[in-house]
Amino acid sequence: MSRAIEMTVGCSLVLAFWSCTSLPTPVPAPPRDCASLPAVPISAAPEAPAPTARAQGSDPWRGGVRGMLGYREVDDDFDPVEQQLVLGVEADMRPASFPLGMELGLLYSIGFKDDFEGTGVDVTAGIGELYLGPRLTFDLADDTIHPYLGGGVTLMLADLEFSTSVGGGTAAISDDTAVAGYAHAGVLFDVGESLDIGLDVRGTFGSEFDFELAGARGTLDGDYLQFAVVFGTHW
């Protein structure tokens, strides 16, 4: 009896050992390739708008230098030479983050009349200016359109000449200076990274010139209204 029990126990141990050793060895899973992973969309951050040509630089100052070509209507006291052609150059500068700056410019206008009223006398008048004043400039339409206002003090030098047509002799010439106020407004349009073109309207007030011609003295009002095209460069 005991012999049968021993055999039964032995067979049970053998079967249990065989069952444990015959189990399959687990195989580790192969590493997953990143390329095989499903793509997960990532929301791209919104791009900042590209800076404009004027805003790309790091210069804390902005400004420009421009030429000027236009027409000037001086007070009727200058008749018959009140209609004059004007040329000039102007520079302005301001902080990049503030609209108020300064401007400085030079202007010269000239008018002439040949054989005035059939008298054989040619009349010529010229007015030169040096001016300085504050200027407000505004930046619109993505920094491509720039309306502005300016004004200040102008130092004016006017000359008046009468000459005879026959022989080119000079009959009389006189000049005088005046200090006056000026105001102007305009708009500039960017046409490139550093070029612009625009229109300007300008006027002066409080200018008077004392002329003496052939022993006669007279005071002429030199105020004017001016229209001009401006063109030049900016930074």
Side-chain angles (χ1 to χ4, degrees), residues 54-210:
R54 290 197 181 197
Q56 287 177 352
S58 58
D59 195 333
W61 295 93
R62 302 178 69 171
V65 178
R66 300 171 186 89
M68 188 179 302
L69 175 64
Y71 165 81
R72 174 180 292 183
E73 183 85 20
V74 190
D75 189 88
D76 290 344
D77 286 358
F78 273 76
D79 182 47
V81 287
E82 74 279 10
Q83 298 180 356
Q84 301 186 0
L85 174 70
V86 61
L87 299 170
V89 61
E90 181 180 81
D92 69 273
M93 182 172 288
R94 64 184 173 95
S97 59
F98 194 66
L100 182 61
M102 296 295 294
E103 62 184 11
L104 173 69
L106 290 169
L107 293 172
Y108 183 75
S109 66
I110 186 169
F112 48 87
K113 179 70 174 179
D114 293 338
D115 192 18
F116 176 56
E117 295 184 347
T119 60
V121 175
D122 300 334
V123 185
T124 304
I127 302 175
E129 290 184 65
L130 170 64
Y131 62 90
L132 174 69
R135 177 184 179 119
L136 278 171
T137 304
F138 306 95
D139 304 317
L140 306 178
D142 292 331
D143 205 17
T144 59
I145 300 177
H146 312 276
Y148 61 86
L149 298 169
V153 178
T154 180
L155 174 63
M156 308 174 71
L157 171 63
D159 61 80
L160 187 62
E161 177 180 333
F162 291 84
S163 60
T164 58
S165 300
V166 179
T170 299
I173 185 171
S174 181
D175 59 67
D176 192 26
T177 59
V179 176
Y182 78 91
H184 70 138
V187 59
L188 294 168
F189 302 91
D190 290 356
V191 293
E193 292 187 358
S194 60
L195 300 177
D196 53 33
I197 189 169
L199 300 172
D200 184 273
V201 180
R202 175 187 175 96
T204 56
F205 48 90
S207 59
E208 290 186 348
F209 302 101
D210 293 325

